Amino acid sequence: MSIHLVGGGPFVAADAAAPFTAEATARSAAVGRTVPRIALLSVAGADGSSPSSTADIAEVLGGSRAAEVLVTEVAAGGVFDTTVLSDVDALVVNGGRTPDYLDAVAPLVDQIRLLVADGLPYLGYSAGAMIAADRALVGGFRIGGVEVCPEAASEGLDEVELREGLGLVDLTIDVHAVQAGTLARLVAAAEAEFVTAGLAIDEDTTLVVGEGALEVRGTGSVWRVVAGDESVAVATMGA
């Protein structure tokens, strides 16, 4: 089973649904279910509105009864109950304000790590991809007071901030890479020695982390950023 990290954009364009649903179906078959149960965790915005990606992902994954999508949404500042992970065959963590998602999943961290280690497929969309890292970049648009990306991508934070994440992947993840200018944030974070290596994922693009080589799906690229002694190297992985 794999970890699927989506950089944002229309979910169907990321080409993530089919392989993720196939893994969920394989896991459900092992317990005698023909239709997999997929937990979809969502955090509402500060105004109480649901992220538009919640309905988008639920519709794509649940289309033609390919899966039973169990949506649980909490208000900003709320946390998920551990029961949301009971008797499910796969987990999706949606997008929105990244610090809110990291706070919301705090009661689930150990449980998610154990389930994923046991083969539960995980899909992180935007914020859900960012918090999957050991050291999660949760937002910010300045480093040392210098702007390193557009303020619109700041997640409401001023200085770039990293926190302990879910620990599912060992590289720091950023999303909306080219579209929101966050590739520059990751490069700057590497130059400032906040991170030694990371991946910035474009919208409409999925990075699949499994037992073999990394796989890129969708229409965009994944940008690999590695800090050197006196430089930062940037390379791309395309679909």
Side-chain angles (χ1 to χ4, degrees):
M1 301 300 177
S2 305
I3 296 164
H4 306 251
L5 306 177
V6 182
F11 184 65
V12 69
D15 196 19
F20 179 70
T21 304
E23 291 185 3
T25 301
R27 187 171 175 89
S28 70
V31 295
R33 268 195 292 269
T34 56
V35 176
R37 293 164 53 88
I38 299 177
L40 171 53
L41 307 185
S42 178
V43 178
D47 61 358
S49 62
S50 298
S52 59
S53 52
T54 303
D56 180 26
I57 294 170
E59 181 179 356
V60 173
L61 293 180
S64 303
R65 289 287 298 165
E68 180 185 2
V69 182
L70 309 172
V71 179
T72 303
E73 184 166 283
V74 297
V79 297
F80 294 105
D81 190 277
T82 56
T83 57
V84 299
L85 298 179
S86 299
D87 197 28
V88 297
D89 305 302
L91 171 64
V92 179
V93 178
N94 193 22
R97 186 174 181 272
T98 304
D100 289 344
Y101 273 86
L102 198 52
D103 291 342
V105 301
L108 311 180
V109 172
D110 290 342
Q111 195 175 358
I112 290 173
R113 288 174 179 168
L114 288 171
L115 286 169
V116 173
D118 187 50
L120 185 82
Y122 175 93
L123 189 148
Y125 174 91
S126 190
M130 293 175 75
I131 69 171
D134 286 339
R135 296 189 68 225
L137 197 166
V138 296
F141 72 108
R142 305 183 205 262
I143 293 180
V146 178
E147 292 189 16
V148 296
C149 75
E151 186 176 358
S154 69
E155 309 279 11
L157 303 176
D158 186 66
E159 289 283 317
V160 169
E161 185 176 335
L162 287 97
R163 302 179 189 172
E164 182 180 356
L166 293 177
L168 306 182
V169 294
D170 58 5
L171 295 173
T172 297
I173 304 295
D174 214 331
V175 294
H176 308 283
V178 169
Q179 294 78 15
T182 52
L183 172 58
R185 177 169 64 189
L186 188 58
V187 171
E191 192 276 334
E193 300 182 345
F194 287 5
V195 300
T196 56
L199 299 170
I201 307 171
D202 281 342
E203 293 181 2
D204 306 341
T205 306
T206 300
L207 174 68
V208 183
V209 182
E211 294 182 357
L214 298 178
E215 180 185 0
V216 179
R217 302 177 67 92
T219 63
S221 296
V222 173
W223 304 79
R224 182 178 177 87
V225 175
V226 180
D229 291 337
E230 298 181 354
S231 64
V232 176
V234 180
T236 60
M237 297 184 289

